[in-house]
Amino acid sequence: RYMLYSVAKDLAVTLRVLFFPRRVILYYPDRPKSRSVERKLCAVLGYAMTEIPSGRIDAVVKREDSTFPLTNPASVIDVDHTKVINDSCTDISKEYVAEAYERVFGIPMAVDPRTYDGPIIVKPNQNSIKQFTSAVGPLSEDQIKPEHVYHRLIDNTIGDGSQTVEIRVPVIDGKIDLVYRRVRQFDTRFDSLNQAISIHRPNELFTQEHLEKIVQMVREMGVDYCECDVLFDKDGSLYVV
């Protein structure tokens, strides 16, 4: 009976969104992927999503699956009366994230792999690529990969070191209403394989100064809505990665 109820409820939500949406959100030029938070939120709220810039549109979100999103939704739709969410965001590369973090928090995250003596995380500069590896610097010239960034490896282990903690922080129009804490096995910490997830009020895990600086960093990047990944190092320092 529960399964039948669940299927019926999902069907009712789908039909409501298709035929009687409360709002129509234009995501331009790319619609959120099926597993994205935006897609789930729109379904729960009864909002329809479209990437077609015509017909009824109640809100506009600039959403481009690119490291350097340069699309201008205003070029395809009259948005004089509408705020385009994330319109000022033009760079979400890992290099730029580290630069914005250092400007706000005053702590360098990027390192020169040729001279840095210590553990390093190696990441593709392009956004949404999870091919992370660790190394120990300094590195020789032939070990350095093009189109990659080299950051200090954060020790976010807990307990006996077999697990790590990462905190996902949604920021919406300068506000942080909740955060979720994700526990992962150390050996698979660079993968999206969570052992446990718990939802918290922001002040349960962060100081007010931390929260204000996270919001400031997001604004520095020209972002109205995003979800930040935050790590705490063993020394207590906070890193937005």
Side-chain angles (χ1 to χ4, degrees):
R1 288 183 179 179
Y2 175 77
M3 183 175 293
L4 181 61
Y5 167 77
S6 180
V7 171
K9 185 180 71 173
D10 290 345
L11 179 60
V13 169
T14 300
L15 291 174
R16 184 184 69 186
V17 170
L18 285 174
F19 297 106
F20 306 103
R22 294 173 178 169
R23 298 283 189 276
V24 178
I25 313 300
L26 171 65
Y27 284 92
Y28 191 84
D30 299 315
R31 183 197 289 244
K33 294 181 172 62
S34 59
R35 296 182 63 185
S36 68
V37 172
E38 299 109 305
R39 204 175 185 102
K40 295 173 184 176
L41 284 174
C42 284
V44 169
L45 294 170
Y47 294 177
M49 296 183 299
T50 182
E51 69 278 18
I52 301 172
S54 61
R56 174 186 171 185
I57 294 173
D58 298 300
V60 183
V61 181
K62 174 182 172 182
R63 193 183 196 284
E64 185 174 352
D65 292 332
S66 169
T67 304
F68 304 100
L70 300 176
T71 299
N72 178 15
S75 65
V76 295
I77 183 175
D78 178 12
V79 292
D80 291 343
H81 63 289
T82 304
K83 173 180 173 59
V84 178
I85 298 169
N86 288 347
D87 191 39
S88 299
C89 178
T90 58
D91 188 343
I92 52 175
S93 66
K94 296 182 180 69
E95 181 179 24
Y96 188 63
V97 169
E99 291 173 358
Y101 169 81
E102 185 172 351
R103 285 197 300 271
V104 173
F105 286 84
I107 304 173
M109 187 158 51
V111 300
D112 183 345
R114 301 168 184 81
T115 59
Y116 183 77
D117 186 9
I120 297 171
I121 184 169
V122 184
K123 310 176 185 180
N125 191 41
Q126 187 175 341
N127 185 52
S128 298
I129 296 181
K130 287 279 190 177
Q131 297 170 355
F132 301 165
T133 57
S134 59
V136 177
L139 303 181
S140 60
E141 199 65 43
D142 61 349
Q143 291 177 293
I144 297 174
K145 302 177 183 179
E147 302 301 323
H148 283 66
V149 297
Y150 293 80
H151 294 167
R152 177 177 173 238
L153 182 62
I154 311 306
D155 182 2
N156 61 326
T157 56
I158 58 173
D160 61 3
S162 63
Q163 294 179 313
T164 62
V165 169
E166 178 178 290
I167 305 169
R168 176 59 66 93
V169 180
V171 183
I172 303 174
D173 195 23
K175 299 181 180 65
I176 302 174
D177 292 321
L178 61 84
V179 300
Y180 37 108
R181 181 179 183 268
R182 306 189 292 196
V183 179
R184 295 175 176 173
Q185 280 282 24
F186 178 82
D187 293 339
T188 56
R189 65 195 185 280
F190 299 143
D191 302 321
S192 299
L193 302 174
N194 300 309
Q195 283 192 307
I197 301 177
S198 54
I199 298 175
H200 299 264
R201 293 185 177 90
N203 60 11
E204 292 176 349
L205 302 182
F206 298 101
T207 66
Q208 186 60 33
E209 182 183 7
H210 286 152
L211 296 171
E212 289 173 358
K213 285 189 173 182
I214 292 171
V215 170
Q216 182 184 347
M217 176 181 165
V218 167
R219 285 176 171 157
E220 284 259 337
M221 297 183 66
V223 179
D224 302 301
Y225 163 73
C226 69
E227 297 198 8
C228 304
D229 290 327
V230 177
L231 309 178
F232 278 103
D233 193 271
K234 283 288 192 183
D235 65 7
S237 299
L238 178 152
Y239 292 85
V240 183
V241 299

